[in-house]
Every structure is written in structure tokens, then in C-alpha cells.
Amino acid sequence: MSERCVVLYGPMGSGKSTVGEKLADTLGYDFLDLDAKIEDKAGKTITEIFEEAGESGFRQAERDAVAALAGSRNLVIATGGGAPIDPANRKVFASLGHTVYLKASPRELYQRIKNDTSRPLLAKSENPREEIARILADREQIYYEADIVIDTEELSVEEVAEQLIDELARRTVDG
Ligand code: S3P
């Protein structure tokens, strides 16, 4: 593997953080969770940022955090589900290295996150199951712009990380 970064895209529940940590461990890279970075800088949780500054305030903080990543090397980065939607963010991600979409069906995504209250976009929704499907339908075309797509539906975290490592190795060999 070269020293470029691996940038994980996907909706809430797609496994960006769990797969990212596993992948970073295997590759000997550092792991960076974009939401955690935003929380550290703000000294607030994502939920608090949404409450105090609205989604637009959160998106600005997210853009700032992404811009600060420019030039990074040897990182596996778990982005927030909405981060790649902004074209300026996508440009930074593409410049960092390999972008990867971790794909799963709305049904599976809902199963993975239904008991998690840390996601303001779903916490307010009366029907989180439908909201996930709607968000995915809105964004999936952009997620598909990633260099690599892994269907995680039936796979364990380890299996996703293994597939991804194989795919990255293939790309490095093929140039
Ligand atoms: C969001 C996803 C969240 C977080 C914020 C907004 C989104 O990250 O950035 O709540 O727009 O899909 P995860 O994808 O890690 O849950």
C-alpha cells in the first residue's frame, strides 16, 4: 500500500467507524473519525451542535474539519454520512487517496442503528425507518462516486475490512 489515506463514505449505520478502526489497525494507519474531530474542536456533541447551531452550523463545522485534513497521509477516515454531499468536501476526500462506499440496504441500516439516539437527523423523525430510506435515496448517487464500493449487507466487520484490503492491494498493484 502507498501512504495515501482511505476515506470511508456511507450513511449512518454503514459501519464507517467500526470498519475504519479495524482497517487502520490492519494497515498500521491512524484512524480518524470526522464527527469525533468536530466534537473535540467544538467541545460539544454532534447533538448539541445541531441543537445550538442547526444543521447549517453543523455543516460549516464539518466543512472546516474536512478542509483541515488536506495533505494528510496514512489515515483511515470515517466521514459523517452527509460529509461527501458537499462538492468541496468531496474534492478534499478525492485528493487524499482512495474513497470507499460502504453500502447496505435501508432495512439493514435501520436494524444497526435503531437503538442509537446520537443521530439528530433520525432522533427528530417520526419514522426513522422511512427517513433512512429517504436519506439513502437522496445521497446514494453521490456515494457511488467513490473509487470502491463494498456491499456490507451480509458481511461481518472483519469480512468488510478483508474485502477492502484485497481491493486496495489490487489497485496498488494495478497502479
Ligand atoms: C449525519 C451523519 C452523522 C453525523 C451527523 C449527520 C448525516 O454521522 O455526521 O449526525 O448527515 O448523515 P454518521 O454517519 O457517522 O452517523
Side-chain angles (χ1 to χ4, degrees), residues 4-61:
R4 304 179 75 205
C5 299
V6 180
V7 185
L8 303 177
Y9 291 0
M12 298 172 267
S14 55
K16 300 176 299 269
S17 300
T18 43
V19 169
E21 280 185 42
K22 176 85 198 146
L23 190 68
D25 204 35
T26 310
L27 296 174
Y29 284 16
D30 286 328
F31 172 69
L32 186 142
D33 184 300
L34 192 64
D35 282 344
K37 192 94 184 156
I38 295 167
E39 290 183 328
D40 282 353
K41 184 156 184 231
K44 294 171 188 161
T45 64
I46 299 294
T47 301
E48 286 166 346
I49 300 172
F50 266 79
E51 276 168 10
E52 292 170 23
E55 182 169 353
S56 65
F58 170 74
R59 295 299 169 202
Q60 185 57 53

Side-chain angles (χ1 to χ4, degrees), residues 3 21 31 69 78-79 84 96 101 112 126-127 133 137 152 164 172:
E3 294 162 357
E21 280 185 42
F31 172 69
L69 291 175
T79 66
L96 289 172
Y101 170 29
R112 293 183 196 169
E126 283 181 10
N127 191 335
T152 71
L164 193 40
T172 307

Side-chain angles (χ1 to χ4, degrees), residues 22-125:
K22 176 85 198 146
L23 190 68
D25 204 35
T26 310
L27 296 174
Y29 284 16
D30 286 328
F31 172 69
L32 186 142
D33 184 300
L34 192 64
D35 282 344
K37 192 94 184 156
I38 295 167
E39 290 183 328
D40 282 353
K41 184 156 184 231
K44 294 171 188 161
T45 64
I46 299 294
T47 301
E48 286 166 346
I49 300 172
F50 266 79
E51 276 168 10
E52 292 170 23
E55 182 169 353
S56 65
F58 170 74
R59 295 299 169 202
Q60 185 57 53
E62 186 171 58
R63 265 193 298 278
D64 294 344
V66 174
L69 291 175
S72 300
R73 297 178 83 80
N74 291 64
L75 287 181
V76 175
I77 301 167
T79 66
I85 306 313
D86 186 305
N89 291 346
R90 285 209 295 289
K91 206 167 162 192
V92 175
F93 294 145
S95 76
L96 289 172
H98 303 281
T99 53
V100 180
Y101 170 29
L102 299 182
K103 182 179 159 57
S105 67
R107 208 179 117 266
E108 174 69 19
L109 293 168
Y110 178 72
Q111 288 307 318
R112 293 183 196 169
I113 59 178
K114 62 182 176 190
N115 298 320
D116 186 336
T117 55
S118 69
R119 290 168 163 112
L121 288 183
L122 295 182
K124 281 205 194 102
S125 171

